[in-house]
Structures are given as structure tokens and as C-alpha cells.
Amino acid sequence: MRAAVLEDPVSRAAVWSGRIAWFALVVAAIGVVLARFGRVEPAQAVGVLGASFLVALIAIGVAIFGLVVIWNEGFRGAGRAFGAIGLAGALLLAPAWFALKAATLPDISDVSTDLADPPAFSRSRVSLEARGGRVRSLPDADARAKQRRSYGGLAPATLERTPDEAFAIARDAARNLGWRIIEANPPAARSGVATIEAIDYSLVLRFPDDVTIRVRPLANGSRIDARSASRFGSHDFGANARRIQRYLQEVASINEAK
């Protein structure tokens, strides 16, 4: 008669750490889906994601407790505990990245290529409806100073093109980047100034950000200025500056191709 082989018990903390980590992942996925489909306001979506990150921290804590028990008592389940730490840790990479950006980038949410005279957002009925009735004021002196220190390289695009040609390039660049164009006003008869109003969306959560483009005539060409502003939050984590940089690169690419 064979003797029964008694195995060491599995750490309950290790088991629960995995369950909690998966629950955190599910909560985060729900927050992303609700945000992308516009089912909740941005603040509510961020709240759901914040809750998932808190649950992930709890999972790591429970997993560490389980590992201590496993070390002291000889229980099984170390693989489950380490798996929970890995899963929860991967989820926490997102807030860690934002924390790094918040610590290294200026707390502004409105960036322009013209700090002396930033392009003004249109107050037409169409633009106001697209922006949910938001009327944007110009950045204050403090915000402009912060942009100058951190994004001093942002400058308008100067093209040896007529205002009509520059306007077409500016509009095509916005379209190529997948922006939703709200208004596209060609050069005015007297001033020669053209404007474009657009909306861009963040990659994961699809939070809307507002963009306005201004084309002005020069003695030997045209100047294109861009302004990008976040709708939600006072810190854009560098998103608006990156958006303008991508836009200016697209303008330059189209200009060289024509």
C-alpha cells in the first residue's frame, strides 16, 4: 500500500494577490472603454483608472505578504505571488510614466508657436458647439514663461508660399494627422489671414484637445502658427507641445513634396 504524499499548502495570500491583480486589470479596462466611447466624463474615467491603480497596489502588497509567509512557513504559491506582482506592476507603469512627466515638464495645458500673439480660438457657433461651449482665454504670463523655458524650440512654420497655398498645406497637414476639422476659413480678402479649427484626441482614452491654426501673409511668403490646448486638467504632460511638433513636421513634409 502506497503512502500518501502530503504537499505543503498553497499560500492563500499568493492566491488572492493574483485575483486582486486581475480585478485591477479588469477595472482599468472598463475605465478605458468607458472613456473611449464617451460614456463618462474625463474626470470620471480618471477616477475609475485611479481606483484600478489603487487595487493594483493592494495586489502587490498582498503578494509581498504571501511571499513572506511562503518563506517562513514553506508554503507553495511563490509563482502566483510573483505573477501578481508582475501583472500589477505592468498596470502601474502608466501612472509611473505620468508621474515622471509631471516632475520633469511644466504644469501647463496650452501651448502656442506665437507667445507674443497666440492664435485665438474661434467663437463661432460651430466651433463653440464642437468644444462644448468652452470659451478659451489666452495663456497668462506665467504659463507663457513656463513654455518659453521648456519648449523654446517651438516656432512657426515660414513658407515661401502664397497665403492660399500655405492654407491648403496647413489644412492638409491637419487632415493627414487625423484631426477632426471643425472650421477651415481661407485667407480673408483684406487681411489675407486664414484660420483652421480642429479637434485631436488622445491615443488611449480619446480625450478631446482643441487646436487652432492661423496663416498670415508675409512679404515673401506666409507664416503658419499653431496653438493646442487640453480640455481636461491643468497639466498636459507635454502632449500639446508634441502635437504641435508633429504638425509642423507634417507641414514641412507636405511643403517639400509640392
Side-chain angles (χ1 to χ4, degrees), residues 128-153:
L128 286 175
E129 287 181 356
R131 296 198 302 266
R134 293 173 177 82
V135 177
R136 291 195 173 276
S137 58
L138 294 176
D140 58 25
D142 181 58
R144 298 187 197 194
K146 290 179 179 178
Q147 178 189 326
R148 191 175 290 108
R149 289 194 299 268
S150 300
Y151 308 123

Side-chain angles (χ1 to χ4, degrees), residues 201-224:
Y201 297 88
S202 61
L203 180 62
V204 178
L205 300 179
R206 288 193 61 79
F207 287 167
D209 293 330
D210 299 312
V211 182
T212 183
I213 309 297
R214 182 181 64 202
V215 181
R216 281 177 168 174
L218 299 175
N220 58 346
S222 301
R223 165 175 167 158
I224 301 176

Side-chain angles (χ1 to χ4, degrees), residues 219-235:
N220 58 346
S222 301
R223 165 175 167 158
I224 301 176
D225 280 293
R227 179 183 172 194
S228 178
S230 302
R231 288 192 192 178
F232 174 74
S234 59
H235 201 313

